[in-house]
Amino acid sequence: MAFQKIRKAVFPAAGLGTRFLPATKAIPKEMLCLVDKPLIQYGVEEAVAAGCTEIIIVTSRGKSTMEDHFDKSPELEATLAAKNKTALLEVARSVSKLAKVTFTRQPEPLGLGHAVLMAREIVGDEPFAVLLPDDIVDAATPCMKQMVEAFHETQSTILGSEVVEGDAIQNYGCLDCNPDPHNPRLLAVKHLVEKPRPAEAPSQNAIIGRYILTPRIFEMIEGITPGAGGELQLTDAIKALLEHEKVYGYSYEGKRHDAGDKQGFLRATVELGLKHPALGPDLRAWLKAQSF
Ligand code: UTP
């Protein structure tokens, strides 16, 4: 097989975001603002830092603000230019210049596997990245960049993974795996178990919202039947892929925030707010002065 690069990144963003109601009644979850930018922008920046040049966002009805966000905004730019607000002008412009961003629709939220399948035509016959926009990974080397580097070694499907504590494994896909003898961050996957009972979990290695998938996954998604909640589960398709190809976990370096639920989002806001170069110092001083 010829050496393959990861050029395209798919962002499933067509879900209903019910855990965030009422905020998500009219605003897409992926557009909720964490500190000073929408969730999806963190993921897109990470994919671009990993070398991806084409971003494919899977959307649905009522989510057109994502299209506006990554498009040029001539009126805003003209106003900022007229007022000589050059720094803000650069901020506004840079978002639309991040990458080529295309959109495709998922007509109904039939599951993560189904959302990925919607990108098949645009992805074509090459390996690609998938990033779930509500998993925000704060890392010195962006998480997807770490995974792309590992992919250069394996040329196989790679699932972002982290060790979770205790019973938390029941909320994730779980890896039954062995560490690779040459690269301790790579885990050779033998089997996957979706949301196992803690006593039955083969490990504490959970799958997070970062994937590099080979194009054969599309065939696998088409071959599976709806699983939990009547949805086409990406994990079931990866299980099917395991029968044909090698699959690895990748124990990334960094800290993940689950910004897909309210508590995780609040914690991410505080932690990333404190790390923000312009806002952090004041926020820290203010927090210290409070007697909550
Ligand atoms: P989630 O399960 O976290 O998102 O899926 P959700 O379904 O929108 O949220 P809740 O559980 O109702 O609160 C992870 C990602 O996959 C996308 C979601 O938009 C989210 O970014 N997704 C999920 C789809 O694009 N299509 C689907 O059918 C399901």
Side-chain angles (χ1 to χ4, degrees):
M1 188 176 63
F3 178 80
Q4 306 222 56
K5 279 179 101 173
I6 305 299
R7 302 184 305 132
K8 300 181 181 177
V10 174
F11 287 78
L16 297 174
T18 54
R19 282 171 295 160
F20 249 110
L21 283 168
T24 44
K25 218 177 147 213
I27 299 169
K29 174 173 75 174
E30 299 77 12
M31 285 300 287
L32 294 179
C33 179
L34 189 57
V35 187
D36 63 352
K37 58 189 171 195
L39 286 180
I40 188 135
Q41 191 178 330
Y42 286 87
V44 169
E45 286 174 354
E46 183 183 322
V48 169
C52 297
T53 49
E54 244 189 281
I55 303 297
I56 301 146
I57 302 182
V58 183
T59 66
S60 56
R61 270 180 304 286
K63 296 215 169 189
S64 55
T65 49
M66 275 189 282
E67 301 190 33
D68 291 339
H69 186 70
F70 291 105
D71 199 359
K72 273 187 75 132
S73 41
E75 305 85 350
L76 175 65
E77 290 179 23
T79 307
L80 293 172
K83 292 185 175 166
N84 269 329
K85 299 201 165 168
T86 38
L88 289 177
L89 179 60
E90 197 32 51
V91 170
R93 273 196 185 140
S94 62
V95 183
S96 60
K97 286 195 206 150
L98 274 170
K100 176 181 171 202
V101 184
T102 50
F103 295 84
T104 185
R105 307 266 285 207
Q106 184 187 27
E108 284 177 83
L110 297 178
L112 185 56
H114 185 259
V116 171
L117 189 59
M118 297 298 102
R120 183 180 200 166
E121 235 173 82
I122 312 178
V123 168
D125 192 26
E126 59 181 278
F128 61 103
V130 174
L131 295 91
L132 304 192
D134 43 10
D135 265 351
I136 301 291
V137 187
D138 184 18
T141 303
C143 178
M144 187 48 73
K145 186 164 197 271
Q146 299 175 40
M147 290 174 60
V148 164
E149 279 161 14
F151 178 81
H152 291 161
E153 271 176 56
T154 65
Q155 296 282 294
S156 301
T157 289
I158 301 183
L159 318 174
S161 171
E162 74 180 31
V163 172
V164 297
E165 299 294 325
D167 289 359
I169 195 68
Q170 67 196 352
N171 302 318
Y172 295 88
C174 171
L175 302 179
D176 185 359
C177 56
N178 291 323
D180 182 272
H182 307 292
N183 180 347
R185 290 199 175 271
L186 272 177
L187 310 162
V189 177
K190 293 183 282 178
H191 189 55
L192 297 181
V193 192
E194 183 62 11
K195 302 192 169 74
R197 279 194 223 141
E200 289 159 17
S203 76
Q204 293 296 115
N205 292 102
I207 304 174
I208 64 145
R210 298 289 182 273
Y211 310 79
I212 292 177
L213 300 169
T214 57
R216 197 172 202 168
I217 195 71
F218 295 122
E219 219 180 283
M220 301 296 117
I221 299 170
E222 281 191 320
I224 58 172
T225 46
E231 298 189 342
L232 284 182
Q233 302 290 348
L234 185 59
T235 321
D236 288 341
I238 299 171
K239 259 192 224 168
L241 189 67
L242 257 173
E243 288 170 25
H244 303 272
E245 295 178 4
K246 279 190 177 164
V247 173
Y248 291 90
Y250 183 83
S251 172
Y252 70 95
E253 177 283 318
K255 173 154 191 204
R256 181 179 61 97
H257 299 280
D258 179 3
D261 79 4
K262 291 177 182 176
Q263 187 59 239
F265 190 91
L266 282 175
R267 292 180 189 184
T269 302
V270 175
E271 283 197 34
L272 296 184
L274 288 170
K275 284 185 126 189
H276 190 285
L279 304 171
D282 273 5
L283 178 62
R284 186 177 301 278
W286 179 80
L287 279 170
K288 274 198 177 143
Q290 303 308 306
S291 55
F292 296 120

